[in-house]
Amino acid sequence: MAESDFRSTNEHGTVVVEWPRGYAQHRSLAPGACFLRIGGHALEGLLPFHWKFLEPHVGARSGLTVIIDLTDLQTYDSGYRAGWTQWLREHPAQIHLYSPSRMVRMGAAVVHLATDKITAYDSLGALYAFASKSVPGFAASSIPAPRAARAFG
């Protein structure tokens, strides 16, 4: 897909990117901490939007904590996973994510083996509990609501 196939808007501090088969929400939580939610099919072409959002938040010393909710993610391009692996190798960041999909958690395990920078949680509650303890000011109310449920196809 071309970059013109993606639509990016800012909704009350949340950068939202939409494309025919999915969406992504990006939100700053605190210095050195961000939240992402991806739904539908994650395309490799989405990565530049992630990087544009995340890069300014990466601290040289403290790094970046990224909380990712993949509850609505259905599938992803293999290049999407490879792109995250490369980015994590080049940046001081730690990813903490939840996905109900065993396949997605296996993909996260592959990235973890390559980078030692990703932790997958068994439940959304466990991810949010981690974020509440580790990210100053994090609360479930501080993150955007998921996009309206729709079939991506």
Side-chain angles (χ1 to χ4, degrees):
M1 287 185 76
E3 190 170 324
S4 62
D5 294 322
F6 294 89
R7 184 174 68 88
S8 180
T9 58
N10 190 321
E11 299 176 5
H12 309 290
T14 299
V15 176
V16 178
V17 180
E18 296 180 290
W19 59 98
R21 294 184 58 200
Y23 73 93
Q25 297 170 308
H26 307 77
R27 185 174 188 102
S28 299
L29 297 173
C34 295
F35 173 84
L36 274 69
R37 178 181 287 120
I38 299 108
H41 178 77
L43 300 166
E44 185 175 358
L46 176 62
L47 293 170
F49 292 95
H50 292 333
W51 307 160
K52 181 179 177 183
F53 179 80
L54 294 173
E55 292 285 341
H57 298 285
V58 177
R61 292 189 184 153
S62 60
L64 175 66
T65 299
V66 184
I67 308 298
I68 304 178
D69 177 351
L70 300 175
T71 302
D72 295 339
L73 184 71
Q74 295 168 353
T75 58
Y76 60 88
D77 289 348
S78 60
Y80 184 79
R81 184 185 69 222
W84 273 109
T85 303
Q86 186 63 35
W87 190 84
L88 285 168
R89 285 181 174 147
E90 298 170 357
H91 295 83
Q94 291 289 320
I95 300 231
H96 298 269
L97 67 81
Y98 165 72
S99 172
S101 166
R102 189 170 162 196
M103 180 84 114
V104 171
R105 288 193 309 271
M106 286 175 21
V110 169
V111 175
H112 176 76
L113 287 171
T115 66
D116 197 31
K117 293 183 174 184
I118 193 164
T119 303
Y121 293 82
D122 292 334
S123 71
L124 188 58
L127 174 65
Y128 284 4
F130 164 81
S132 294
K133 291 178 188 172
S134 304
V135 176
F138 178 88
S141 61
S142 68
I143 59 171
R147 303 304 279 177
R150 67 177 193 212
F152 298 105

